[in-house]
Amino acid sequence: MMLGYPYGWITAAGLFFLLILTVILTSPVVIKGQLRRIGNDDDAEIKVKALYGIIRYRYKVPIIRLVGNTVQMKKQVSNESTGINTWKQFNDELDVDRVLSSIGKLKLILKMTRDLKGLVRQTLTKVRLVEWNWSTSVGTGDAMWTAMATGLVWSVQTSILGLLSQMVKINAEPNMNVQPMYQQPTFTTEWSCIAQIRFGYAILAGLQLLVRIKKVKGGVKAWQNILFKA
């Protein structure tokens, strides 16, 4: 009888650990995105919450301005984990050269990393879209052109959703609306969505990516040189 006690405690501890691990791996990583353009005001925001809110990340661009050929942005980044919060704010600019440079970096990474696109597609199949809202008002001041613009905007919105439905699982009824404004020239749009992926799938995708990066000539350092070089 006494001999069974240690094994009983070990079994109970093992089952408890297994339960905790299962809860962690099946917990959802919640990603919320939002984009708005009202008048000349633009803002965008992404929030990520994992492990039931223990880990939080927030990326916000409250100000987006077009100045000549450059897009000027004010960024705010908040990262919270186990009660420790880091927050920083900075200004940034985006021009044609920087966009082309980013595209070049992406092509190089895709070329040097084995089946990276396949890994991304495989991971996206585990993502569930649980909310999708997109409302737009458009007007040109002319009834005929407003009607044509309304149809064009509606076509763009439905095409984007259709393309997305081929990559992720849509578990909610999308809410979309395009409102024609015949009285005056205007364009406003508000978009938001909520997506989820299990924490275990996200960890697995990260580990698979790390393995593929290490197989690249130069490994992690090669990736860093590409991503962070001027």
Side-chain angles (χ1 to χ4, degrees):
M1 187 70 177
M2 292 296 293
L3 292 175
Y5 285 139
Y7 297 106
W9 280 108
I10 293 173
T11 301
L15 291 174
F16 178 74
F17 175 77
L18 183 61
L19 176 62
I20 295 297
L21 183 62
T22 301
V23 170
I24 290 175
L25 294 180
T26 58
S27 65
V29 177
V30 182
I31 305 158
K32 295 182 179 180
Q34 179 178 301
L35 177 66
R36 292 186 300 177
R37 177 175 176 81
I38 301 176
N40 294 323
D41 297 326
D42 303 88
D43 66 86
E45 184 176 23
I46 294 177
K47 293 181 180 179
V48 180
K49 183 173 69 174
L51 295 180
Y52 302 102
I54 296 177
I55 298 175
R56 294 174 181 266
Y57 176 83
R58 181 187 181 197
Y59 179 87
K60 186 175 183 179
V61 184
I63 299 175
I64 305 173
R65 290 195 182 101
L66 181 61
V67 180
N69 295 324
T70 302
V71 178
Q72 296 182 347
M73 298 175 290
K74 181 178 180 181
K75 298 182 179 181
Q76 298 173 350
V77 179
S78 175
N79 191 4
E80 183 175 342
S81 179
T82 61
I84 301 175
N85 183 54
T86 59
W87 185 89
K88 58 183 179 180
Q89 178 174 304
F90 55 95
N91 297 322
D92 200 1
E93 291 187 353
L94 186 65
D95 55 19
V96 175
D97 291 337
R98 189 167 176 183
V99 171
L100 293 176
S101 175
S102 298
I103 293 174
K105 291 178 181 180
L106 179 59
K107 288 182 177 179
L108 184 56
I109 286 175
L110 289 172
K111 182 179 180 180
M112 65 190 297
T113 308
R114 182 179 63 85
D115 196 24
L116 182 58
K117 289 191 290 186
L119 176 60
V120 172
R121 285 195 297 266
Q122 177 186 343
T123 305
L124 285 176
T125 60
K126 307 300 182 182
V127 175
R128 296 182 298 115
L129 195 65
V130 298
E131 184 177 305
W132 180 272
N133 302 299
W134 197 348
S135 178
T136 302
S137 298
V138 60
T140 65
D142 179 85
M144 183 186 71
W145 287 108
T146 296
M148 293 178 64
T150 300
L152 178 61
V153 171
W154 179 257
S155 177
V156 170
Q157 291 189 183
T158 54
S159 296
I160 291 175
L161 182 61
L163 179 63
L164 192 64
S165 66
Q166 299 178 21
M167 297 184 288
V168 304
K169 299 176 182 177
I170 299 180
N171 291 359
E173 185 70 25
N175 180 23
M176 295 199 299
N177 178 49
V178 180
Q179 181 69 35
M181 304 294 289
Y182 296 104
Q183 295 81 10
Q184 59 184 358
T186 183
F187 180 80
T188 65
T189 187
E190 295 187 58
W191 166 86
S192 66
C193 80
I194 299 177
Q196 296 181 354
I197 183 173
R198 288 186 179 180
F199 189 77
Y201 288 138
I203 292 295
L204 179 61
L207 292 175
Q208 289 178 321
L209 177 60
L210 183 60
V211 169
R212 298 185 190 205
I213 291 175
K214 286 186 174 292
K215 290 183 179 180
V216 171
K217 185 178 180 180
V220 176
K221 191 171 182 180
W223 259 58
Q224 290 176 336
N225 291 336
I226 293 172
L227 292 175
F228 300 111
K229 70 179 180 180

